[in-house]
């Protein structure tokens, strides 16, 4: 029966650091945090959950090849890059940079409030692509109690290769990213097409370096007897057998859960 399996990635086991201006968690090896058991999963290479203090941030630095997307949870993120893009991103924004042959950019907290965002990196299927930049907006109402695709491969239905537009941001990786705000008691299903997946519960209630607390969800599937409970900051690796499966998430706590789900081909 079991074609969908989970391996938990507990919040307190991730890399974390408090630099004063930056409070961060690393799901995969990054910077000073290195763990050979958590280097990459399919095309997914980085999930950093960052909180940046007002008027501070990451100064101008360079990237090549990786596709880098920022998912803004709260506050305002100021983006500037060598392609001439300058933008302030607010809650609900999804900004994607395909670094390709090389770009430089900076990311800083804009205004008087901390910015909380997830920075995610994936590997494209083709090297040395022309750098591109995309922005998408997704409201809380759009994500309420449903899975909304916010990133999807170029050529997928509803994906438009334009700088601004509706629908998912176009990525050159074998990755689809869904987001939801699941209210207490709600049960959501999402078919997975790839052979792998990853789920992450966003730390919306605050930076917590200890055991995960906050919103609580239970994950499972239509082709598995396995179930796993996750709280804010927790995640799980998902593997699928032949024929795919439908991922199931149920909010079993008393707080709305913001959750990201990766379908990895």
């Amino acid at each position: 029966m079991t074609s969908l399996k989970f391996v938990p990635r507990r919040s307190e086991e991730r890399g974390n650091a408090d630099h004063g201006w930056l409070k961060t968690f690393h799901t995969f090896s990054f910077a000073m945090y290195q763990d050979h058991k958590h280097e990459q999963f399919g095309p997914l290479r980085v999930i950093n959950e960052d909180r940046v203090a007002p008027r501070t941030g990451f100064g101008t630095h360079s990237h090549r090849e990786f596709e880098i997307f920022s998912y803004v949870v709260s506050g305002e993120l100021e983006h500037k890059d060598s392609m001439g893009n300058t933008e302030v991103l607010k809650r609900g924004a999804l900004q994607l940079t395909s670094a390709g042959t090389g770009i430089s950019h900076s990311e800083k907290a804009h205004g008087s409030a901390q910015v909380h965002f997830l920075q995610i990196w994936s590997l494209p299927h083709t090297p040395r692509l022309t750098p591109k930049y995309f922005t998408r907006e997704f409201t809380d109402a759009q994500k309420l109690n449903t899975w909304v695709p916010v990133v999807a491969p170029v050529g997928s239905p509803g994906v438009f290769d334009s700088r601004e537009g509706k629908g998912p941001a176009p990525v050159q990786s074998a990755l689809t990213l869904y987001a939801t705000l699941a209210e207490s008691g709600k049960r959501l299903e999402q078919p997975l097409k790839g052979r792998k997946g990853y789920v992450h519960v966003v730390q919306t209630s605050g930076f917590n370096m200890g055991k995960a607390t906050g919103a609580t969800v239970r994950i499972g599937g239509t082709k598995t007897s396995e179930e796993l409970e996750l709280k804010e900051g927790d995640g799980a690796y998902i593997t699928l057998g032949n024929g795919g499966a439908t991922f199931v998430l149920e909010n079993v706590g008393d707080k709305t859960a913001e959750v990201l789900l990766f379908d990895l081909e």
Side-chain angles (χ1 to χ4, degrees), residues 66-223:
F66 284 108
E67 300 195 280
I68 301 164
F69 29 109
S70 298
Y71 178 95
V72 181
V73 180
S74 64
E76 299 182 352
L77 180 67
E78 180 184 286
H79 170 96
K80 294 182 179 180
D81 65 39
S82 55
M83 294 181 283
N85 299 298
T86 299
E87 192 166 14
V88 175
L89 307 161
K90 300 180 180 181
R91 172 162 176 81
L94 188 290
Q95 179 268 313
L96 166 64
T97 300
S98 289
T101 54
I103 59 98
S104 297
H105 71 174
S106 64
E107 296 160 305
K108 298 182 179 181
H110 179 80
S112 59
Q114 170 188 269
V115 62
H116 174 197
F117 71 107
L118 282 89
Q119 185 170 117
I120 301 158
W121 298 10
S122 65
L123 287 165
H125 51 65
T126 304
R128 300 193 60 78
L129 293 167
T130 300
K132 292 186 177 182
Y133 177 90
F134 305 95
T135 303
R136 298 290 188 266
E137 302 285 342
F138 301 94
T139 66
D140 285 359
Q142 286 176 293
K143 292 182 283 189
L144 190 64
N145 299 321
T146 190
W147 290 111
V148 176
V150 297
V151 175
V154 171
S156 301
V159 176
F160 301 98
D161 192 0
S162 59
R163 183 186 182 281
E164 296 181 2
K166 297 181 179 180
V171 70
Q172 300 282 348
S173 305
L175 175 155
T176 301
L177 171 58
Y178 299 92
T180 191
L181 291 168
E183 293 180 304
S184 178
K186 296 296 182 178
R187 183 180 188 272
L188 308 179
E189 296 186 359
Q190 178 58 49
L192 298 178
K193 299 178 181 178
R195 299 296 299 272
K196 297 179 178 180
Y198 192 86
V199 61
H200 176 78
V201 185
V202 179
Q203 269 192 347
T204 53
S205 61
F207 182 74
N208 172 27
M209 297 171 71
K211 188 174 181 180
T213 58
T216 308
V217 300
R218 181 184 298 126
I219 62 173
T222 57
K223 290 186 178 182

Side-chain angles (χ1 to χ4, degrees), residues 7-108:
V7 175
R9 181 70 166 122
R10 297 298 179 188
S11 184
E12 68 271 23
E13 297 172 356
R14 295 181 296 163
N16 61 65
D18 184 347
H19 300 292
W21 69 274
L22 170 66
K23 295 176 170 61
T24 184
F25 279 92
H26 306 313
T27 295
F28 298 98
S29 293
F30 191 86
M32 297 300 292
Y33 171 68
Q34 296 294 315
D35 186 337
H36 72 276
K37 295 181 292 184
H38 304 284
E39 294 281 356
Q40 184 178 328
F41 197 59
L44 189 58
R45 176 61 186 85
V46 169
I47 302 176
N48 290 349
E49 188 162 356
D50 293 337
R51 289 172 169 83
V52 177
R55 300 181 180 87
T56 66
F58 304 98
T60 302
H61 56 285
S62 299
H63 294 281
R64 295 183 64 182
E65 298 301 352
F66 284 108
E67 300 195 280
I68 301 164
F69 29 109
S70 298
Y71 178 95
V72 181
V73 180
S74 64
E76 299 182 352
L77 180 67
E78 180 184 286
H79 170 96
K80 294 182 179 180
D81 65 39
S82 55
M83 294 181 283
N85 299 298
T86 299
E87 192 166 14
V88 175
L89 307 161
K90 300 180 180 181
R91 172 162 176 81
L94 188 290
Q95 179 268 313
L96 166 64
T97 300
S98 289
T101 54
I103 59 98
S104 297
H105 71 174
S106 64
E107 296 160 305
K108 298 182 179 181

